[in-house]
Amino acid sequence: MAFEYAPAPESRAIVDIAPSYGLFIDGEFVESSGGGLSKTVSPATEEVLAEYTQANAEDVDRAVKAARKAFEKWSALPGAERAKYLFRIARIIQERSRELAVLETLDNGKPIKETRDADLPLVAAHFFYYAGWADKLDHAGFGANPRPLGVAGQVIPWNFPLLMLAWKIAPALATGNTVVLKPAETTPLSALFFADICRQAGLPKGVVNIVTGDGRTGAALVAHPDVNKVAFTGSTAVGKEIARTVAGTAKKLTLELGGKGANIVFDDAPVDQAVEGIVSGIFFNQGQVCCAGSRLLVQESVRDEVLDALKRRLSTLRLGDPLDKNTDIGAINSAEQLARITALAEQGEAEGAERWSPACELPSSGYWFAPTLFTNVTQAHTIAREEIFGPVLSVLTFRTPDEAVAKANNTQYGLSAGIWSEKGSRILAVANKLRAGVVWSNTFNKFDPTSPFGGYKESGFGREGGRHGLEAYLDV
Amino acid sequence: MSDRLSVFKTYKLYVGGKFPRSESGRVYEVTDSKDNWLANAPLSSRKDARDAVVAARKAFGGWSGATAYNRGQVLYRVAEMLEGRREQFVREVADAEGLSKSKAAAVVDATIDRWVWYAGWTDKIAQVTGGANPVAGPYFNLSSPEPTGVVAVVAPQESSFLGLVSVVAPVIATGNTAVVIASEKAPLPALSLGEVLATSDVPGGVVNVLSGRTAELAAPLAAHQDVNAIDLAGADEALAKELEVAAADNLKRVLRPQAVDYFETPGTERMTAFLETKTVWHPTGSLGAGGSSY
């Protein structure tokens, strides 16, 4: 007999969410010049968490002006002083880590286990890492006196709201740029809480500005003539549109876009470890990860063994209340995203792939999708080609390492890949041939601020993290 | 009348290691700075551009897979071949750019030295731009630069030889392959460079040289789904914008036009612009707090 888990919910009393939020411009929360209010909901319950402001072009202009005004002093500040501001921010994030983890779980729907153990530690780590660069830029390999670009317009997605903010803001500030950041329309809250962290840290007014809103706000920011640098993480379609918008301008551009990562399991891989890696590869954050290992390529001779173990493991995943500390799979971020996942999964069935999910009871309210895997998938199937951005794994097979490489590379994307094998030379040979910016061997979905992250091909250009991440914000 | 009648050269494209005429059968008149006829250069078509991409793609695997040491040797060999043909290029550059013989000689010498400079970079760029990252956890990871693939190069319009080599050498030094559109009004040094490349050890297809109307050739290359990057060095402002918009369709890496003094020693930007960074992670099997993990 199996023991049942008792409910272990994290208290939400630690978070004080205001009923309504303005825009954070020039160090203050201000109202829109007429953009109106939108609601952000908890994906797990559909409860309205707060109202936030839909910034219009005029608001964006105000924010860019504030950032421009602040740029002069901020960029002239000795690096060591900028560093201390970033260290302060990093420390305050650590102090408020539990509060922010709960907030992020409420607004995004991802399990508290992940916000607490993955998102927040990495957010703080990124600020610590780039804080240390602020007074060492002469040594970063971009010449003796690398200069900041000016005002950075940054647009981030909803899958890792605070982590993507950290990836964007930490290197921008370290290099002496000022920032106007637009969080995603479904997850604006942690960025607004970050504004309060800037206040606590005593960050000069206008250095960080937060404008909330939907794609219209993002488009106004990207197109603003006084923005010197555009950084975007999100879908490939929007990334292409942004690339067209900045064409012919002097704006520097970095794009972190979609992916369709291959997780390659060779016949000599340790099966139990590989299964854990497959699970974290596609079910971490409900699969709403651009570098997710959404295509499992398993060597034909171990297909059945791996699939049996995988199905057994999936049956033990716990789906439900994201605030419960024992929850593995939380809610899908929005009704819109749920509809997209649902439609693509149905298309997978319609095209002849075989669908399987563990016995799994879905909560009656909120946006939920059971962990799903498809077998009998070919490379021509839509579910093997399009990014689903949900907990849906397509299983394909291969016979030789060359075939594995060919199939792994048979995609418009090139962000991530995984290799499972006990043989070092095989890992390195295959890693060499994969057209992907990040290759995990015998592990998956590992991130670290010291390590460059970014894609080949239509997964975008530029790298975030590490020394490489500085280049996006320097005039080099 | 003892003057010997000289033998003219029929200038041809350099594609896939061969010297085809344009498939269109077209040529255009190339003149010197005083409008005297120099030669008829091939007026390449879109089909020539597509053929060049096919050749460059075919050559990419071998060239990017060659050792960096080997690529350095091959690039240095090009410099050796150029040195042997120095007089020819001095004449061609003088004619093409309306320079005195001594100024043209300075240009050619600088160009040869530029090849040597890039030849020395092939096995060093990875150490300068890559390395091990100190990961906070029981993992080891390495970031290494890799060539992005096929690069379309719109060569500078004014600097027909030094400028050309300054934009082509960095592309291939790092393992990319190139489709180059020569200076529209002064394409002859570029076409002659094809002859040098063919007699050096550069594999066919690694560099492909097209002559013709820049705008006509650049448009299909910028829109080509099998081109990974584009260098807009020789595009004017309006064309550069148009090409950058087209390049967004498959998210090509774009190097925008910029003011460059080609006599100055370059930085690494022309190499890094066409490099991807790949980070490979591996567990270290470190002993964790919980005991042995290996």
Side-chain angles (χ1 to χ4, degrees):
Chain A
M1 65 163 268
F3 290 104
E4 281 301 310
Y5 284 86
E10 177 67 271
S11 166
R12 58 186 283 181
I14 193 168
V15 185
D16 190 10
I17 302 175
S20 180
Y21 287 92
L23 307 167
F24 186 67
I25 296 175
D26 205 18
E28 286 173 51
F29 276 101
V30 296
E31 283 182 20
S32 168
S33 63
L37 293 173
S38 300
K39 293 177 172 61
T40 184
V41 302
S42 174
T45 60
E46 298 176 57
E47 162 205 1
V48 174
L49 294 171
E51 288 185 322
Y52 68 91
T53 302
Q54 166 71 40
N56 60 21
E58 207 176 305
D59 301 324
V60 168
D61 184 56
R62 256 195 302 167
V64 172
K65 281 202 172 85
R68 172 65 57 202
K69 200 175 94 202
F71 174 68
E72 201 180 323
K73 277 190 186 162
W74 179 250
S75 59
L77 212 57
E81 300 296 299
R82 285 202 309 273
K84 283 190 281 182
Y85 281 115
L86 286 166
F87 278 122
R88 282 184 182 184
I89 290 172
R91 274 288 191 237
I92 296 170
I93 287 166
Q94 286 182 325
E95 285 161 10
R96 297 177 62 172
S97 175
R98 184 168 165 192
E99 172 196 2
L100 293 166
V102 172
L103 175 75
E104 196 84 315
T105 285
L106 281 170
D107 204 19
N108 170 282
K110 65 168 76 185
I112 186 76
K113 196 166 76 175
E114 289 180 8
T115 53
R116 182 193 62 194
D117 299 346
D119 295 59
L120 263 299
L122 278 169
V123 170
H126 268 86
F127 278 100
F128 272 110
Y129 177 75
Y130 280 109
W133 267 125
D135 54 355
K136 301 170 192 70
L137 296 173
D138 299 358
H139 302 277
F142 303 110
N145 185 26
R147 304 303 307 153
L149 297 166
V151 175
Q154 307 177 319
V155 178
I156 58 170
W158 44 259
N159 57 342
F160 294 90
L162 200 53
L163 183 59
M164 292 300 103
L165 174 147
W167 282 25
K168 297 280 183 293
I169 290 185
L173 297 195
T175 46
N177 299 274
T178 55
V179 163
V180 179
L181 177 131
K182 187 198 89 72
E185 65 200 275
T186 60
T187 55
L189 293 183
S190 52
L192 295 166
F193 273 57
F194 181 78
D196 190 52
I197 291 170
C198 293
R199 175 189 64 82
Q200 290 186 334
L203 195 70
K205 289 175 191 298
V207 171
V208 168
N209 304 275
I210 310 282
V211 290
T212 50
D214 58 21
R216 291 170 292 173
T217 310
L221 178 57
V222 166
H224 194 290
D226 204 28
V227 163
N228 305 96
K229 153 80 205 173
V230 171
F232 172 73
T233 296
S235 75
T236 291
V238 174
K240 290 179 181 180
E241 198 46 52
I242 290 174
R244 287 180 202 110
T245 304
V246 306
T249 71
K251 287 174 192 170
K252 195 162 178 169
L253 176 65
T254 43
L255 299 170
E256 296 286 357
L257 309 175
K260 192 73 192 174
N263 213 348
I264 307 169
V265 179
F266 285 99
D267 56 8
D268 66 343
V271 171
D272 289 346
Q273 285 177 35
V275 163
E276 287 308 308
I278 296 163
V279 168
S280 93
I282 185 62
F283 300 114
F284 178 63
N285 201 23
Q286 294 69 248
Q288 302 167 129
V289 184
C290 52
C291 53
S294 52
R295 290 180 298 152
L296 174 62
L297 296 176
V298 58
Q299 198 153 13
E300 211 172 79
S301 52
V302 292
R303 175 191 180 273
D304 292 347
E305 187 189 351
V306 170
L307 267 182
D308 289 348
L310 183 60
K311 286 179 176 175
R312 227 174 16 248
R313 178 67 180 89
L314 290 192
S315 305
T316 66
L317 290 176
R318 294 167 56 86
L319 178 147
D321 181 5
L323 277 175
D324 190 313
K325 289 171 223 164
N326 293 321
T327 290
D328 298 307
I329 308 253
I332 300 301
N333 182 251
S334 66
E336 191 190 355
Q337 184 59 20
L338 178 60
R340 179 182 157 76
I341 298 169
T342 306
L344 280 164
E346 279 167 7
Q347 195 169 347
E349 276 184 292
E351 289 177 15
E354 198 173 307
R355 181 176 184 162
W356 183 89
S357 286
C360 181
E361 205 177 306
L362 300 182
S364 53
S365 63
Y367 317 127
W368 302 91
F369 198 89
T372 298
L373 64 84
F374 278 99
T375 49
N376 291 339
V377 180
T378 74
Q379 295 183 85
H381 278 113
T382 306
I383 49 169
R385 308 204 67 80
E386 278 198 33
E387 184 178 42
I388 298 175
F389 223 64
V392 180
L393 179 67
S394 295
V395 183
L396 299 96
T397 59
F398 67 89
R399 290 184 181 175
T400 64
D402 280 348
E403 190 188 346
V405 167
K407 284 184 169 169
N409 286 340
N410 182 12
T411 166
Q412 72 187 95
Y413 298 112
L415 188 49
S416 71
I419 305 169
W420 298 84
S421 169
E422 284 287 81
K423 194 171 176 186
S425 56
R426 177 181 288 160
I427 287 172
L428 293 175
V430 170
N432 249 336
K433 289 181 187 149
L434 292 173
R435 303 278 292 163
V438 188
V439 178
W440 288 289
S441 12
N442 292 323
T443 184
F444 209 94
N445 268 343
K446 290 289 182 294
F447 307 95
D448 189 272
T450 67
S451 305
F453 178 95
Y456 283 51
K457 301 198 270 187
E458 296 192 18
S459 290
F461 38 74
R463 294 294 180 270
E464 294 183 285
R467 182 191 75 82
H468 295 73
L470 294 167
E471 187 180 351
Y473 294 95
L474 290 172
D475 185 11
V476 292
Chain B
M1 286 287 285
S2 63
D3 273 2
R4 177 182 166 272
L5 193 63
S6 68
V7 177
F8 284 168
K9 178 164 88 182
T10 301
Y11 283 88
K12 295 195 199 172
L13 306 177
Y14 182 56
V15 176
K18 297 197 165 64
F19 298 97
R21 294 184 164 89
S22 167
E23 66 80 37
S24 65
R26 303 179 304 180
V27 292
Y28 70 113
E29 189 169 309
V30 179
T31 56
D32 67 12
S33 57
K34 296 190 183 69
D35 269 349
N36 300 310
W37 184 87
L38 287 172
N40 292 323
L43 185 62
S44 308
S45 64
R46 290 166 167 258
K47 176 72 164 72
D48 292 318
R50 289 199 299 270
D51 289 348
V53 173
V54 171
R57 175 60 61 198
K58 203 170 151 202
F60 178 67
W63 184 242
S64 61
T67 63
Y69 177 53
N70 179 232
R71 279 202 305 271
Q73 300 268 295
V74 171
L75 260 68
Y76 185 72
R77 179 77 179 157
V78 176
E80 289 177 350
M81 295 292 105
L82 277 175
E83 190 78 42
R85 295 209 194 196
R86 186 171 173 278
E87 294 313 314
Q88 175 198 336
F89 280 103
V90 169
R91 198 172 59 244
E92 286 192 334
V93 169
D95 285 345
E97 300 180 21
L99 300 177
S100 68
K101 191 148 189 281
S102 64
K103 280 199 175 140
V107 169
V108 172
D109 289 347
T111 308
I112 297 169
D113 291 354
R114 187 66 32 94
W115 271 114
V116 175
W117 195 75
Y118 279 112
W121 263 116
T122 59
D123 52 3
K124 293 164 194 74
I125 190 73
Q127 287 177 313
V128 171
T129 64
N133 308 304
V135 182
Y139 297 94
F140 167 78
N141 76 22
L142 272 183
S143 291
S144 324
E146 290 188 348
T148 196
V150 174
V151 181
V153 178
V154 184
Q157 298 296 341
E158 300 306 322
S159 186
S160 65
F161 193 48
L162 176 58
L164 169 86
V165 165
S166 297
V167 296
V168 172
V171 167
I172 66 167
T174 48
N176 296 289
T177 56
V179 176
V180 186
I181 307 170
S183 163
E184 183 167 329
K185 82 171 188 313
L188 303 185
L191 296 174
S192 291
L193 180 70
E195 297 162 21
V196 169
L197 295 170
T199 53
S200 69
D201 298 324
V202 178
V206 169
V207 178
N208 304 277
V209 185
L210 304 172
S211 58
R213 304 284 170 236
T214 299
E216 183 186 349
L217 294 172
L221 289 174
H224 200 297
Q225 293 297 300
D226 202 29
V227 172
N228 302 88
I230 186 163
D231 182 342
L232 301 176
D236 63 33
E237 203 177 312
L239 178 63
K241 177 171 180 175
E242 189 189 313
L243 297 176
E244 192 175 344
V245 170
D249 271 348
N250 72 335
L251 293 163
K252 284 179 188 67
R253 283 53 178 144
V254 176
L255 186 60
R256 292 180 177 141
Q258 47 207 292
V260 183
D261 177 355
Y262 288 110
F263 278 97
E264 298 254 320
T265 304
T268 55
E269 306 92 74
R270 292 209 106 84
M271 288 184 283
T272 55
F274 306 119
L275 286 173
E276 305 289 344
T277 297
K278 177 189 280 178
T279 302
V280 179
W281 291 64
H282 197 283
T284 55
S286 310
L287 292 166
S292 171
S293 66
Y294 59 85

